[in-house]
DNA sequence: CGCCTAGTGTTACCGGCGATAACACAACGA
DNA sequence: TCGTTGTGTTATCGCCGGTAACACTAGGCG
């Protein structure tokens, strides 16, 4: 790249941006003195700026704390493998669980910021990022045909148990922590969301045909009409490579009533 | 009781003691405005005393908050059966779990005070009370010879999962809470600490969830509407397991299970 | 060139917070 | 009767989160 392009701009050679310095100072205070050590004064002093500067970059205190939490979480995950996925989705989830717990124990103050004070409807950016990744990991298990509950339910179970475990461990003196605990709880939840069964064959056609074959057992969950409808949709996925669209439009209800209505 | 015994003492006929008034005022503020609404000024004003009076009774702010949490928790448990134990220790634990979660959802601010900000080595009196009761419930299961792990490990697993679940639910909008979640997580942990084998999931659930996960790939076979419809039917098959509530617990342990590599 | 605008950091300040010192006063026991 | 103890008060401190108003710089544009 020719020198001429390297025009002088304000921040090109500045060692670290003000925002970065504030973030780092706040993170350091957070780790060393806990949540209560992160005050506007302390941060501004440690970052070498005046207090109002903080508000210029992070609208208020909670904005700063949220940014610190997100930054710390991202950094940690980036340093770990993060995106390295194997071809065993269950093992990947296991690794994700362990990494999550490890982060909480390595950075308890960050972790408490993320999960310690839930507010209905709100989710910190860091927690959201973590939840997204969990959802992805669980979905891969579902795609492998090894999930026995909804993806959403499985993710919620795993998150509840995992975060509860981490918070519990944070509250226990390191020497007194039960070494059995993390592994056992993890496997308990894992067994509950996966069957112990070996992975089913990949590809949706197999699942469609298998499900079609088992349709008769679903009387307590689906009405007769729903079973019939589902059967037709599964036929489309499992068998004939028919053209798209229109074929389904015609099919009326199998018979007039279609209203067994259990439930 | 003869009147002569009712000597006049300062507080005999006083409607409520100062300590009680402060406690009640703080609890009300906590429920109505959350943790941040409980300030020395607000409490003292609501209780009709001067701020320093609070320090006379509860050495500092955290002392007051601890007392409020403990008081609220005790009151709640007292109003519930609390000590009513049946002759089925596992069912008693189940009830205890449900009561615990219910308390957290009914009094989220109290609950966050108890579990939201763990500090290594410290345990709030309220949390300690709850832990003691859990220990007792688990010990009864052990006495019945139905525990496959240490009492301590079992209690820690249950506590981690239960408090994590409650914190998770507190953070989710009431309308969007997964009704399956609490029961499933509870049974998963219960099965892991007692030797019970998981109830055989109907074979179709895995196929249903797998197919759901692969719905996105079916664009060439199904219209968007059909995909949505199919997705809903698949959720019904993957989500709920016929009988609800306790039914799933009974199943004996056909195989040792429970020991698949806790790592 | 000279003016304007946007971005950034500053000084000075506000109301509210947790906490404490020093005092006022009632009840009780020697 | 007089100290002691328990309880609640007045007055005040230092720190907090947050904001208004100003100062300076760089870039855009006539």
């Amino acid at each position: 790249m020719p020198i001429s392009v390297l025009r002088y701009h304000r921040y090109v050679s500045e060692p670290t941006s003000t925002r970065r310095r504030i973030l780092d100072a706040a993170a350091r205070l957070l780790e060393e003195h806990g949540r209560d050590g992160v005050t506007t004064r302390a941060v501004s002093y440690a970052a070498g700026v005046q207090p109002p500067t903080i508000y210029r970059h992070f609208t208020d205190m909670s904005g700063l704390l949220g940014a610190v939490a997100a930054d710390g979480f991202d950094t940690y995950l980036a340093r770990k493998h993060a995106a390295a996925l194997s071809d065993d989705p269950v093992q990947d989830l296991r690794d994700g669980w362990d990494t999550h717990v490890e982060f909480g124990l390595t950075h308890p103050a960050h972790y408490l910021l993320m999960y310690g004070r839930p507010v209905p409807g709100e989710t910190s950016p860091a927690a959201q990022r973590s939840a997204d990744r969990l959802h992805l990991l669980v979905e891969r298990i579902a795609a492998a045909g090894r999930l026995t509950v909804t993806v959403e339910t499985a993710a919620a179970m795993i998150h509840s148990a995992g975060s509860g475990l981490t918070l519990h461990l944070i509250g226990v003196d390191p020497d007194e922590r039960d070494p059995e605990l993390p592994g056992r709880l993890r496997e308990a939840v894992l067994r509950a969301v996966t069957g112990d069964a070996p992975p089913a064959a990949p590809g949706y056609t197999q699942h469609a045909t298998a499900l079609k074959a088992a349709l008769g057992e679903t009387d307590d969950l689906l009405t007769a009409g729903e079973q019939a409808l589902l059967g037709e949709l599964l036929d489309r996925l499992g068998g004939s490579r028919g053209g798209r669209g229109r074929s389904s439009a015609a099919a009326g209800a199998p018979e007039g009533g279609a209203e067994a209505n259990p439930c």
Side-chain angles (χ1 to χ4, degrees), chain A residues 14 42 62 66 72 88 97-100 122 151 159 169 187 206-207:
Chain A
E14 191 162 320
S62 84
D88 180 352
W97 170 292
D98 290 343
T99 299
H100 184 98
E122 284 182 41
V151 172
H159 166 251
L169 290 176
E187 294 309 313
Q206 284 86 345
H207 293 302

Side-chain angles (χ1 to χ4, degrees), chain A residues 21-46:
Chain A
R21 286 211 323 279
I22 294 176
L23 226 36
D24 290 342
R28 217 198 67 217
L29 287 168
L30 183 63
E31 301 230 331
E32 292 180 1
H33 302 101
R35 165 57 241 266
D36 294 343
V38 186
T39 68
T40 50
R41 265 101 175 154
V43 171
S44 64
Y45 179 82

Side-chain angles (χ1 to χ4, degrees), chain A residues 114-115 119-129 131:
Chain A
M114 291 172 62
Y115 296 112
V119 179
E122 284 182 41
T123 313
S124 84
Q128 187 58 52
R129 218 117 57 194

Side-chain angles (χ1 to χ4, degrees), chain A residues 63-83:
Chain A
L64 171 60
L65 290 174
V68 169
D71 185 64
F73 189 68
D74 286 353
T75 304
Y76 188 85
L77 280 198
R79 207 156 40 195
K80 305 293 280 190
H81 34 82

Side-chain angles (χ1 to χ4, degrees), chain A residues 126-223:
Chain A
Q128 187 58 52
R129 218 117 57 194
S130 173
D132 289 345
R133 177 160 175 85
L134 172 59
H135 198 90
L136 179 139
L137 292 178
V138 173
E139 213 148 40
R140 287 180 71 232
I141 297 181
R146 299 181 60 180
L147 212 59
T148 55
V149 298
T150 314
V151 172
E152 284 72 26
T153 301
M157 288 175 67
I158 295 164
H159 166 251
S160 296
S163 61
L165 167 67
T166 309
L167 290 172
H168 167 80
L169 290 176
I170 287 176
V172 175
D173 218 30
D175 304 330
E176 301 176 4
R177 285 175 191 156
D178 183 346
E180 297 258 341
L181 180 57
R184 279 199 191 270
L185 188 54
R186 185 191 63 197
E187 294 309 313
V189 174
L190 235 50
R191 259 198 305 278
V193 300
T194 66
D196 277 334
Y204 60 82
T205 56
Q206 284 86 345
H207 293 302
T209 52
L211 192 49
K212 178 85 193 304
L215 258 193
E217 310 165 17
T218 63
D219 285 341
D220 53 343
L221 291 176
L222 300 182
T223 67

Side-chain angles (χ1 to χ4, degrees), chain A residues 38-63:
Chain A
V38 186
T39 68
T40 50
R41 265 101 175 154
V43 171
S44 64
Y45 179 82
V49 298
Q50 295 299 319
T53 303
I54 294 174
Y55 296 91
R56 184 86 55 188
H57 289 269
F58 314 87
T59 62
D60 62 358
M61 197 62 201
S62 84

